[in-house]
Amino acid sequence: MELNSEKISQNYEGILQDIKKYSPYPEKVKILFVSKYLGIEEQEALINMGYNYFGENRAQVYRDKLERFSGEKYENLVWDFIGRLQKNKIKYIINSVNLIHSIDSYELLEEINKKAIENNKIINGLIEINVSKEESKTGVYIEDFKKDSEKYFSMSNVKIIGFMTMAPFEASEAEINSYFSNMRDLKEEYQKKYDYVTTLSMGMSNDYVEALKNGATIIRIGSKLFK
């Protein structure tokens, strides 16, 4: 993929303007570059353009990029993990990840906590909510989370600071708004109990405006930046 720095800059600025226009608290919103389609050279080009907040969805690719972009020159880079995380791949990200967006079960949370203890780390994480109950998606249903919510916040070495979700790609604008408003309500409910629950990761290139309207604090943008 050949990256056009001027086009990326224009697209990024357009998204910043949308954040100011649609978010109730634009100062809290971060744009996460979804870099899963970028090879090492493209990643380096983006870094050299001044961008520093990236999300990877495959643990081994995450590991390889971290190895490549290490050292003082790259110390300001921030890497989140946003893809489905297999238990046997936690070891690839545990020592360097900023935030895990995709904790899609209590069993996975337990395993991340176990690995965090072994590595003497405190990990920030988001519970992935399957807000639309799509069978093809992983994640916890809202009502199931609420039944057992206390146990998700009881880990010694994983701090749950919020939630992540994805709306169905083919959903209408009204449906997307409904799903995202349910997520906003969930975050606000638990923020009253745990004041560190401040993060809501939702919205991608096709639906980030609806996410912003409903209080997203991280929008995960890929194709919109490069078109």
Side-chain angles (χ1 to χ4, degrees):
M1 183 195 304
E2 188 171 342
L3 302 183
N4 183 321
S5 60
E6 187 175 342
K7 185 182 291 185
I8 292 170
S9 178
Q10 287 174 351
N11 291 338
Y12 194 85
E13 183 59 35
I15 296 168
L16 287 175
Q17 292 305 315
D18 285 338
I19 291 171
K20 291 176 183 176
K21 183 176 180 180
Y22 295 111
S23 172
Y25 31 68
E27 71 284 353
K28 296 181 180 179
V29 180
K30 298 176 182 176
I31 301 171
L32 179 64
F33 266 80
V34 177
S35 52
K36 63 182 179 179
Y37 298 117
L38 301 178
I40 294 295
E41 289 183 6
E42 292 97 342
Q43 189 86 49
E44 186 160 27
L46 264 185
I47 293 167
N48 289 337
M49 290 175 205
Y51 303 106
N52 69 342
Y53 186 34
F54 301 107
E56 284 292 329
N57 75 330
R58 288 190 293 170
Q60 282 144 300
V61 174
Y62 175 100
R63 174 201 61 190
D64 294 345
K65 287 187 178 180
L66 263 288
E67 287 178 359
R68 170 61 182 81
F69 301 110
S70 62
E72 191 175 336
K73 180 181 177 182
Y74 302 107
E75 63 185 5
N76 70 327
L77 300 185
V78 178
W79 299 87
D80 287 4
F81 190 81
I82 60 176
R84 189 170 187 185
L85 183 58
Q86 296 172 305
K87 292 177 184 177
N88 65 342
K89 304 289 176 63
I90 297 169
K91 60 189 176 187
Y92 296 136
I93 71 170
I94 196 71
N95 282 303
S96 55
V97 70
N98 171 63
L99 177 63
I100 301 175
H101 292 232
S102 48
I103 303 176
D104 60 7
S105 70
Y106 181 70
E107 292 72 29
L108 178 60
L109 174 60
E110 285 186 307
E111 192 64 25
I112 295 170
N113 191 66
K114 179 181 171 184
K115 290 290 188 293
I117 293 169
E118 290 172 3
N119 289 273
N120 196 29
K121 291 285 183 180
I122 301 295
I123 301 296
N124 287 328
L126 306 177
I127 300 301
E128 181 177 346
I129 300 292
N130 188 342
V131 68
S132 58
K133 297 185 176 180
E134 281 186 281
E135 291 184 5
S136 62
K137 280 199 176 83
T138 59
V140 186
Y141 293 168
I142 287 179
E143 58 268 31
D144 292 339
F145 175 79
K146 286 186 174 184
K147 281 179 197 170
D148 294 312
S149 62
E150 284 187 12
K151 70 180 186 180
Y152 288 88
F153 293 98
S154 67
M155 296 291 116
S156 62
N157 286 55
V158 181
K159 187 176 184 179
I160 299 302
I161 62 169
F163 304 97
M164 184 272 266
T165 201
M166 290 177 282
F169 193 78
E170 70 283 356
S172 68
E173 185 177 328
E175 289 170 329
I176 291 170
N177 270 308
S178 175
Y179 295 138
F180 287 169
S181 68
N182 287 340
M183 291 300 299
R184 178 193 61 210
D185 292 345
L186 182 71
K187 179 237 179 186
E188 290 177 352
E189 177 181 343
Y190 282 91
Q191 192 169 16
K192 291 174 184 175
K193 299 179 182 181
Y194 309 96
D195 59 6
Y196 51 84
V197 175
T198 57
T199 303
L200 194 51
S201 170
M202 63 184 189
M204 298 187 287
S205 291
N206 62 309
D207 57 12
Y208 73 87
V209 168
E210 289 78 15
L212 290 171
K213 291 175 181 176
N214 286 288
T217 62
I218 300 175
I219 52 176
R220 307 182 304 273
I221 308 295
S223 60
K224 175 82 174 176
L225 288 162
F226 305 111
K227 286 179 177 176

